Amino acid sequence: MRTFTKLKMAYSYCNSLFFLLSIFLASSTFALGGNFYEDFDNLFGDVRVDIQELGQSMTLTMDQYSGSGIVSKNEYLFGRFDMQIKLVPGNSAGTVTAFYLSSQGNNHDEIDIEFLGNLSGDPYLLSTNVYADGVGGREMQYYLWFDPTEDFHTYSIDWNPDRIIILVDNIPIRVMKNRKTIGVPFPTKQPMRLYTTLWNGDSWATRWGAVKLDLSNAPFVAGFKNFNANACIAKNGGANCKTFNNGKYRGLDEESKTKMQNILSKWVVYDYCRDLRRYAHGLPFECRKDNLLLDQSE
Ligand SMILES: *[C@@H]1O[C@H](CO)[C@@H](O)[C@H](O)[C@H]1NC(C)=O
């Protein structure tokens, strides 16, 4: 009898736990983990999007007719997004493999990681950019310290109200601090969708468009796996995301700062903040010396 009551209690306890859990999941504004089937819709390229392993991995293909891509079902406002990517091998000149967040409509916000392909043996270029209120032009470009076509590597966007951090294998390569207080636009209001695409960018991508896609190498295939989001799913324009992470955002620890400095000193190919030709009439505000130093120190 006793055992029975106990069991019954345990049962109802489990039941209510289960009940609470289902409520939590149903109304959850938190995305943890990730699955290509559940979290994305096909954006273009039809069967060129090939999802495998019950949604844990995917290939995107580009052939002579089309590239391909996916877009997240949810809109997010802040979060960390990780994707393991193995880039198109061989002659990938003209191809662009992209992993980015973007809002829709006018004055859009966007956070980009793009890989610009190259001739066999020539290095890929990793290009990053941030748009806020429709204004971009904040490119930073890097060569990678490994061959990104040989293995999967993890590329991440960590977007929170205080800063945007872009990471490669968990090493920060770029930090953009929120400097709205001094008038620099920063994305904090518009929910964004996450995109993963492979497309023909040969009008500009490789040596500014000089090297075209060589279709005799088609199809071009890039691999993706272990997508992970720890992010706030925006409801009602994102009002629910204001308290994301309880408002606590960590900056870089000393070790990460050192690692980033090392990357910045060796692997940066282009930095808009140093483009005096483009900004002959004055560098963007956030690029002025004091502000730049701030970026790296905080
Ligand atoms: C391609 O390789 C050339 C030669 O090494 C290099 O200048 C260029 O930055 C590389 N990447 C792209 C996307 O052009």
Side-chain angles (χ1 to χ4, degrees), residues 30-234:
F30 237 169
L32 265 173
N35 183 293
F36 288 110
Y37 280 125
E38 286 159 21
D39 300 325
F40 292 93
D41 286 324
N42 199 310
L43 180 65
F44 65 105
D46 302 310
V47 294
R48 294 172 190 84
V49 176
D50 185 11
I51 297 174
Q52 300 127 10
E53 296 180 88
L54 300 171
Q56 292 310 302
S57 68
M58 169 183 80
T59 57
L60 293 180
T61 293
M62 174 163 64
D63 56 26
Q64 72 223 74
Y65 304 109
S66 176
S68 53
I70 56 174
V71 55
S72 66
K73 294 192 206 266
N74 290 310
E75 289 188 307
Y76 305 98
L77 192 63
F78 309 124
R80 171 156 172 161
F81 306 89
D82 306 296
M83 184 74 89
Q84 295 187 351
I85 307 177
K86 189 174 167 181
L87 293 165
V88 175
N91 181 355
S92 59
T95 67
V96 178
T97 307
F99 175 55
Y100 64 102
L101 289 159
S102 180
S103 69
Q104 270 147 341
N106 293 332
N107 303 323
H108 83 297
D109 294 338
E110 188 176 317
I111 304 169
D112 291 321
I113 298 181
E114 290 180 324
F115 302 92
L116 316 185
N118 220 331
L119 297 169
S120 302
D122 281 345
Y124 260 86
L125 204 55
L126 188 169
S127 187
T128 64
N129 199 0
V130 174
Y131 286 74
D133 301 335
V135 181
R138 300 196 174 90
E139 296 90 351
M140 272 189 81
Q141 300 183 324
Y142 311 74
Y143 290 144
L144 293 162
W145 48 99
F146 50 83
D147 178 354
T149 70
E150 206 155 85
D151 273 310
F152 284 91
H153 290 268
T154 306
Y155 304 94
S156 316
I157 297 173
D158 187 345
W159 170 37
N160 66 58
D162 289 347
R163 52 174 79 66
I164 293 165
I165 307 173
I166 293 177
L167 306 98
V168 176
D169 290 331
N170 218 24
I171 301 173
I173 63 163
R174 179 167 186 181
V175 176
M176 190 177 165
K177 279 272 296 174
N178 182 345
R179 294 203 194 298
K180 268 191 173 160
T181 49
I182 57 164
V184 180
F186 188 89
T188 53
K189 294 216 169 65
Q190 307 189 62
M192 303 206 244
R193 286 184 202 277
L194 186 68
Y195 295 78
T196 306
T197 57
L198 171 61
W199 45 282
N200 178 355
D202 75 359
S203 61
W204 59 276
T206 306
R207 294 182 214 176
W208 299 276
V211 187
K212 300 295 178 196
L213 206 65
D214 181 354
L215 280 170
S216 67
N217 291 304
F220 304 95
V221 182
F224 304 82
K225 65 180 188 185
N226 298 334
F227 160 67
N228 192 61
N230 180 354
C232 183
I233 298 171

